[in-house]
Amino acid sequence: MGGNRDPRGLIVGNYCHDVLIKDEVVLAETLGGAVSFISAVLDGLDIASDYVSKVGSDFAYTANVNHTPIVSPSGKTAVFHAYFTSDPSEIRREDRVLKRVEACDPISPSDLPDEANFSFGMAVGIAGEISPETLERMLDTCDVVLVDIQALIRDFDEIDGTVKLMNLKETGFYHLLPRIGFLKASAEEAPYVDIQEARKSCCVVVTSGQDGCTVYWKDVELQISPFSTVQVDPTGAGDSFLGGLVAGLVHGLAVPDAALLGNFFGSLTVGQIGLPKFDSKLMQKVKDEVQRRKMQCDEHDDESRFKKPRDHEQFIASLRNAKLVTTDEVLDSEPGYPNHQMFLKNSVYEEPIKTMDTKP
C-alpha cells in the first residue's frame, strides 16, 4: 500500500444510532458505526478515501460526520441498544449485551464507485450490511482489502435482535478468505476464526485491549506492545486501531510498526469520550514520526515486512512521547463536549459487546 501513486481508500460500512442503557435506564444516544472512528484517524492523517455508508432519512448526526452517507428515503438508520449493568457482581466486560433493533438497507455492489484503482479497501460493516457480493466487488477494485471480522460473522436473533456470532466457515464469506489481505478480530471474536488456517493466506491481527495485539502470518506470530492509558470510554477502540493500522501500511511501514500505530490510536480513543477528537498538533507529530520511521527503514519485501524492524522500541518511545503532548489538553479544552457523546464512569468494558451465542 505504500506504492508510488497517491494512496486512496474505499471504506464500506454503515453509520448507526447507538442507545446506551444501564440498569434499564437510557443514559445516552450516540453516533455509532466503525466508519465514524476510522474516518477520525484517516482524515486526521490526511489519507484520502471514499466512504460508502447508508442511513435512513431519520439519521440524526448529519452535522457530526465528515463523509456524507447515502440516504435511503424509505429505510431507517440502523439502531443498536447496548445494555450495561452496575451490579458489582456482574461487572465484567462480557456482561454488556448488544441488540440490533433496526436495520438499514444493505450496501450493494452497485453502491460502490465505478473506478477500480483504490490502493486499499476496508470492509467494516456492523449490522450485516455487507454481502459476499459486495466484498467480492471490493476485492476486485482494491489492491488490498482489510476486513473487520464482525462484518462477516455477526448474526441477529430473529425475535429481539440480540447479536450472535457464527463461525466464519459457516458464512458465505469463507471462500473469499484467500483474497483478503488483513483480517482483524478481537480476542472474543478470534475463536470463530480458524486462525491457523486463515494465517496461511492472509494476515490475521487479534486485538486484546490492554495487552496490545498479536499478528499472525504464515509461521510468524508477533506480540505488539500496548500503550498505557486511563480508560474513559471503550467505544470504538477496535475501529480506531484498524484506522491506525491502515494508516501505517499506507505510509509504507512494516506490519509490526503499523500494528503499533493501531494500538496507539486505540489507546487515544479509550481515553476520550465518544468519538475521539485528535488535536492537530498531536496528529502532526504522529505524521512526522511516521515519516521519520519510514525513512529509517529499508524497503520491505513480502517476508521482511512481517518482521519487527530495527529500532522498533524507539518507535514505541516516540509515539509515547507524542501522546503526552496534547491528550490531556484536548479533554480540558472541550468543556462543552457535544451531548451526543457520553462518559461511562468506571467502565471496565472493551469492544466487542457480549453476544448471546453458543461456543464455537
Side-chain angles (χ1 to χ4, degrees):
M1 286 199 291
N4 293 326
R5 63 186 173 94
D6 291 336
R8 188 169 190 86
L10 174 63
I11 320 299
V12 180
N14 285 347
Y15 294 109
C16 70
H17 294 162
D18 283 343
V19 180
L20 307 179
I21 302 168
K22 188 173 183 179
D23 300 331
E24 300 184 357
V25 176
V26 175
L27 296 180
E29 299 183 9
T30 76
L31 169 63
V35 291
S36 305
F37 294 87
I38 289 170
S39 65
V41 176
L42 299 188
D43 291 349
L45 295 177
D46 300 325
I47 297 175
S49 297
D50 289 3
Y51 290 75
V52 180
S53 304
K54 281 189 176 180
V55 297
S57 57
D58 60 339
F59 184 55
Y61 302 106
T62 302
N64 300 103
V65 298
N66 294 328
H67 304 278
T68 303
I70 300 169
V71 178
S72 300
S74 60
K76 292 187 176 181
T77 302
V79 179
F80 283 91
H81 286 186
Y83 294 86
F84 300 81
T85 178
S86 60
D87 186 339
S89 66
E90 297 184 10
I91 293 183
R92 303 187 303 273
R93 70 181 179 186
E94 64 266 31
D95 279 328
R96 58 177 178 175
V97 176
L98 182 66
K99 296 183 179 183
R100 186 190 70 178
V101 299
E102 196 72 63
C104 190
D105 292 343
I107 298 172
S108 67
S110 62
D111 292 318
L112 305 185
D114 292 331
E115 60 184 286
N117 61 344
F118 292 100
S119 50
F120 69 93
M122 299 178 72
V124 290
I126 52 170
E129 67 268 28
I130 296 178
S131 67
E133 293 76 19
T134 298
L135 178 57
E136 188 166 16
R137 172 71 189 282
M138 293 181 66
L139 292 165
D140 290 339
T141 58
C142 303
D143 293 345
V144 62
V145 174
L146 301 92
V147 177
D148 191 327
I149 193 64
Q150 71 176 10
L152 312 186
I153 65 172
R154 276 187 173 182
D155 195 13
F156 307 91
D157 185 88
E158 294 181 359
I159 298 176
D160 66 0
T162 298
V163 176
K164 303 180 290 183
L165 301 178
M166 58 193 303
N167 281 302
L168 180 59
K169 290 182 178 180
E170 299 173 358
T171 71
F173 297 95
Y174 187 70
H175 70 287
L176 298 174
L177 185 60
R179 298 182 61 191
I180 294 172
F182 292 80
L183 187 67
K184 174 257 176 189
S186 70
E188 292 80 6
E189 294 164 333
Y192 297 86
V193 182
D194 185 344
I195 292 179
Q196 298 309 315
E197 184 65 28
R199 69 193 293 182
K200 295 177 183 178
S201 58
C202 75
C203 178
V204 181
V205 184
V206 178
T207 58
S208 302
Q210 63 182 4
D211 295 323
C213 68
T214 306
V215 175
Y216 300 92
W217 165 249
K218 294 186 177 179
D219 60 347
V220 174
E221 181 174 333
L222 296 173
Q223 181 66 35
I224 308 300
S225 299
F227 291 86
S228 60
T229 189
V230 176
Q231 180 171 289
V232 175
D233 180 356
T235 305
D239 306 322
S240 293
F241 167 87
L242 196 53
L245 172 69
V246 168
L249 295 174
V250 166
H251 284 287
L253 299 187
V255 173
D257 282 353
L260 185 70
L261 194 62
N263 285 347
F264 175 78
F265 279 103
S267 72
L268 290 177
T269 296
V270 302
Q272 297 191 39
I273 304 168
L275 283 176
K277 289 192 173 183
F278 302 128
D279 182 81
S280 59
K281 293 180 181 178
L282 171 64
M283 298 303 275
Q284 185 59 54
K285 284 187 68 70
V286 171
K287 286 188 282 188
D288 292 344
E289 291 297 340
V290 168
Q291 186 62 32
R292 187 178 298 113
R293 183 65 181 159
K294 180 180 179 180
M295 295 177 63
Q296 289 174 346
C297 298
D298 300 327
E299 291 293 325
H300 310 293
D301 55 32
D302 286 342
E303 295 301 324
S304 65
R305 69 183 183 131
F306 287 95
K307 297 179 180 179
K308 285 186 179 180
R310 62 181 182 273
D311 299 330
H312 179 77
E313 297 298 321
Q314 180 57 47
F315 189 41
I316 296 175
S318 297
L319 290 177
R320 283 175 178 162
N321 181 64
K323 185 178 177 182
L324 293 174
V325 175
T326 54
T327 301
D328 292 337
E329 293 160 356
V330 170
L331 292 175
D332 293 340
S333 66
E334 299 292 341
Y337 222 74
N339 58 15
H340 70 276
Q341 299 170 324
M342 71 161 296
F343 175 39
L344 294 178
K345 187 175 182 180
N346 298 326
S347 172
V348 296
Y349 300 99
E350 296 172 358
E351 289 192 320
I353 291 171
K354 168 70 173 180
T355 59
M356 304 299 291
D357 54 351
T358 57
K359 292 183 179 296

